[in-house]
Amino acid sequence: MELTGAQILLESLKREGVELIFGYPGGAVIEIYDALFHSDLRHILVRHEQGAAHAADGYARASGKTGVCLVTSGPGATNAVTGIATANSDSIPMVVLTGQVATHLIGNDAFQEVDTVGITRPCTKHNYIVKDIKTLAYTIREAFYLARSGRPGPVLVDLPKNVMAARHEFTWPETVGEMRSYNPTQEPNLKQLRLAVRRAILPAKRPLILSGGGVIRADACAELAEIAMQYQIPVVSTMMGLGSFPGNHPLWLGMLGMHGTVAANKAALEADTIIAVGTRFADRVTGKLSAFDRDSGTIVHIDIDPTSIKKNVNVKYPIVADCRKAVLKLREELAAAAGEQNWSEEHKDWLDTLETYKKDFPLSYAKNGEIKPQQVIEAISAIAGGDDTIITTEVGQHQMWTSQFYCFTRPRTLLSSGGLGTMGYGLPAAMGAQLARPDKKVVCIAGDGSIQMNSQEFATIVANRLPVKVVIINNGYLGMVRQWQELFFKRNYSYTNMEAQPDFVKLADAYGAEGYRVSEASELEPVLKKALFSPNPAIVDVRVAREENVYPMVPVGAALDNMIVL
């Protein structure tokens, strides 16, 4: 039976296991929306296309599935670009469907026409424009394969209006054909792995595991944690790797990098072997590269993306492979070569040194009667923390305080924009996470500046009866920029004072959510308990100390041991 292009598209999505689409209609996708009206696919009507992309991203991070969003041509596509770039920076599997003008109008400056493929080429893993309905089903099949295989990422499919209206027989390709230019290495090189085990990992007196977001993407957390515990190797992580190792375990040292713990940063510089898994050694992680390379000793680097290895730091043992498959093989090789050593005893001096760092330089803040942002994060962690809570964040100081003071014990419980640092991410991502995991409590920790980037999605949350909670760390500033202005620009607070703030409690009421304000420290715990355990969406506006800073802090260009501490 012949189907329209729109029907073929939706049938293809169902064959890929898609149950949920985030989108916003428009003229170029009206055929698709007409087909959706008759489909059993669930569609979530967002209030802005950027919200659709971030929600699909949050859905993917929370569920481990591929997120899907659908937007119209022109401004619909360009509004989604920030969300696409966010997913690309953090290696999130996502398929973005964009409408396009009819094929005979492409290049004629038609109404709501932009070169979507050209615009998104730098911030997608791959993109397509489907000009022939005969290739539509296969293109969708290939798009999903690309999005979730190798190093995951967003794949865009541009859909001209006349292709969606055309008719053709539906044939589903059960497999993706050979792609000569794309063949990610899945299995690790065993020779290289054995060399790393025998010459670097087992002989190490000061080993360290660095766990990145790739460990979570590959579902390798439990196996990597088993190695750490079996061989008594301490663990640090990037921000994207938080939750990959239990934050309450004695081997846990904390987050590495610009706002990492003293123990984590000192460990990275003093380790004689670093086993780095699923990380790209970004600048916010390494600090001054010459210091990191000189003092970090031998690096064993496991990653699915060969371009991420040796890009920023010197690596003695590069291992290109799927992180889960590599960690499983690493576990086997360690077991075969380790012998009967008492690893607690072997690494005792190293572990004792790190324990001293943890005790001498704990994360702390001055308590003076004002509500401190760190205090809010600790309260959320104590009240709602655990396996059944997912935290999303916006971007700024509150993001770093969350990374420092919330105890993440499970993977896929922190959703945050790492590589791109996108303000406006947290709220729509929380919406996507709640739809992906209705059994979980979802809390968005936001700043008063970033929450206003996509606050329109409160309407989507309320319309879909999603019990998302938003805690606003309200200091009346664009806090992270203000901190830099204080420390490095002589307190010239140039346009970072958010003078005209909305009343967030009234905003919550306007959208039909519960609204709370906390102005005194004594109010914090009871209000958070009431809001976080309400069955309804809620906003909690917490008025915190205005000029609190995030410490420790490694200034840009400084080495990891050149930290500003409280």
Side-chain angles (χ1 to χ4, degrees):
M1 183 175 65
E2 287 192 344
L3 302 177
T4 67
Q7 290 170 329
I8 290 173
L9 171 66
L10 299 187
E11 183 60 31
S12 298
L13 295 179
K14 287 195 285 186
R15 295 294 181 98
E16 287 291 347
V18 175
E19 299 172 344
L20 185 66
I21 303 171
F22 300 90
Y24 202 93
V29 289
I30 198 165
E31 282 82 7
I32 301 173
Y33 273 86
D34 184 63
L36 270 170
F37 186 79
H38 303 284
S39 170
D40 56 0
L41 283 171
R42 186 178 181 187
H43 177 274
I44 301 298
L45 176 63
V46 298
R47 272 43 178 184
H48 190 282
E49 290 90 351
Q50 184 181 347
H54 289 324
D57 175 312
Y59 179 92
R61 296 194 203 212
S63 67
K65 300 177 183 178
T66 302
V68 180
C69 62
L70 167 63
V71 300
T72 196
S73 64
T78 57
N79 280 346
V81 168
T82 299
I84 298 168
T86 301
N88 191 58
S89 292
D90 291 344
S91 304
I92 307 303
M94 190 164 79
V95 171
V96 182
L97 306 170
T98 56
Q100 185 55 273
V101 301
T103 53
H104 66 276
L105 294 175
I106 292 174
N108 289 345
D109 294 329
F111 178 66
Q112 291 192 331
E113 180 195 358
V114 297
D115 179 6
T116 302
V117 167
I119 289 170
T120 60
R121 184 172 288 118
C123 62
T124 54
K125 185 174 179 181
H126 192 61
N127 59 19
Y128 302 84
I129 181 167
V130 181
K131 294 186 176 182
D132 187 341
I133 191 173
K134 296 175 184 177
T135 66
L136 176 58
Y138 185 82
T139 300
I140 298 299
R141 183 78 172 87
E142 192 169 274
F144 275 85
Y145 168 72
L146 286 173
R148 61 181 171 240
S149 64
R151 178 180 176 178
V155 176
L156 182 139
V157 184
D158 205 27
L159 302 164
K161 182 178 172 67
N162 61 318
V163 176
M164 294 297 96
R167 302 186 73 87
H168 191 265
E169 183 179 346
F170 174 72
T171 303
W172 179 246
E174 293 299 332
T175 59
V176 174
E178 182 181 349
M179 303 173 68
R180 287 185 298 173
S181 60
Y182 181 75
N183 187 23
T185 301
Q186 298 292 328
E187 298 291 340
N189 182 302
L190 288 181
K191 181 179 179 181
Q192 185 78 338
L193 195 63
R194 286 168 185 156
L195 286 174
V197 165
R198 288 166 169 76
R199 296 184 181 179
I201 299 174
L202 291 179
K205 298 300 181 184
R206 301 185 305 279
L208 181 70
I209 290 174
L210 169 55
S211 180
V215 177
I216 296 173
R217 304 285 169 267
D219 291 324
C221 302
E223 292 76 13
L224 188 62
E226 184 182 327
I227 289 172
M229 296 173 194
Q230 173 71 25
Y231 300 97
Q232 288 295 289
I233 303 174
V235 182
V236 300
S237 86
T238 64
M239 189 193 78
M240 297 301 298
L242 289 171
S244 61
F245 188 83
N248 54 5
H249 195 278
L251 289 171
W252 172 246
L253 303 179
M255 182 175 70
L256 179 68
M258 177 175 282
H259 293 293
T261 64
V262 172
N265 286 353
K266 282 184 170 292
L269 294 184
E270 295 176 15
D272 56 10
T273 294
I274 295 177
I275 308 157
V277 188
T279 179
R280 56 192 175 88
F281 287 104
D283 57 300
R284 292 294 175 97
V285 168
T286 63
K288 186 178 181 181
L289 279 174
S290 59
F292 193 92
D293 277 342
R294 184 186 68 243
D295 297 330
S296 63
T298 297
I299 295 178
V300 179
H301 191 179
I302 299 170
D303 202 281
I304 187 69
D305 181 9
T307 67
S308 292
I309 297 179
K310 294 188 177 181
K311 180 168 66 176
N312 295 328
V313 299
N314 293 320
V315 174
K316 189 165 185 180
Y317 296 99
I319 299 168
V320 178
D322 171 81
C323 286
R324 177 174 173 78
K325 292 181 178 181
V327 169
L328 288 172
K329 290 293 185 182
L330 176 61
R331 186 176 63 178
E332 290 179 15
E333 293 301 322
L334 283 167
E340 300 296 327
Q341 289 98 323
N342 182 331
W343 295 102
S344 294
E345 191 62 33
E346 287 282 336
H347 298 152
K348 184 179 185 303
D349 291 345
W350 175 230
L351 294 172
D352 287 348
T353 297
L354 297 177
E355 192 62 31
T356 300
Y357 291 152
K358 288 165 69 174
K359 289 180 179 178
D360 291 350
F361 302 100
L363 290 170
S364 63
Y365 57 95
K367 298 177 182 179
N368 56 11
E370 295 180 285
I371 302 176
K372 292 300 181 75
Q374 303 94 323
Q375 180 183 358
V376 181
I377 306 303
E378 286 180 328
I380 296 170
S381 186
I383 293 167
D387 296 353
D388 292 328
T389 299
I390 293 173
I391 299 294
T392 75
T393 79
E394 299 288 350
V395 168
Q397 287 180 308
H398 64 276
Q399 180 189 32
M400 294 298 103
W401 283 316
T402 301
S403 300
Q404 293 175 334
F405 288 91
Y406 191 97
C407 182
F408 293 97
T409 59
R410 300 283 294 174
R412 302 191 186 279
T413 54
L414 172 63
L415 316 183
S416 192
S417 172
L420 199 64
T422 304
M423 295 174 69
Y425 171 82
L427 182 63
M431 182 170 70
Q434 189 72 83
L435 286 157
R437 298 302 306 269
D439 57 319
K440 301 285 188 182
K441 186 183 301 298
V442 178
V443 181
C444 171
I445 299 175
D448 51 296
S450 55
I451 194 61
Q452 296 181 69
M453 292 280 187
N454 275 313
S455 62
Q456 75 285 339
E457 297 308 330
F458 281 123
T460 312
I461 287 168
V462 172
N464 289 279
R465 298 185 178 90
L466 304 176
V468 170
K469 311 299 186 292
V470 180
V471 180
I472 300 174
I473 309 296
N474 189 342
N475 57 16
Y477 280 111
L478 296 176
M480 189 60 85
V481 183
R482 184 214 58 78
Q483 176 171 333
W484 283 44
Q485 289 172 333
E486 174 189 334
L487 297 176
F488 309 118
F489 293 89
K490 302 178 181 178
R491 290 183 179 266
N492 295 326
Y493 293 167
S494 179
Y495 301 100
T496 48
N497 191 344
M498 302 289 282
E499 295 175 342
Q501 293 282 40
D503 184 324
F504 290 111
V505 174
K506 289 183 178 179
L507 184 68
D509 183 63
Y511 278 114
E514 295 177 5
Y516 304 88
R517 181 173 293 111
V518 177
S519 302
E520 302 292 336
S522 60
E523 302 169 338
L524 181 61
E525 186 174 328
V527 170
L528 282 177
K529 284 183 177 178
K530 184 176 181 180
L532 294 178
F533 288 95
S534 167
N536 303 312
I539 298 173
V540 184
D541 178 18
V542 186
R543 302 300 177 90
V544 300
R546 294 203 68 200
E547 295 192 15
E548 187 75 3
N549 289 338
V550 183
Y551 294 119
M553 179 181 181
V554 178
V556 173
L560 288 181
D561 58 353
N562 187 13
M563 288 169 275
I564 304 172
V565 296
L566 186 64

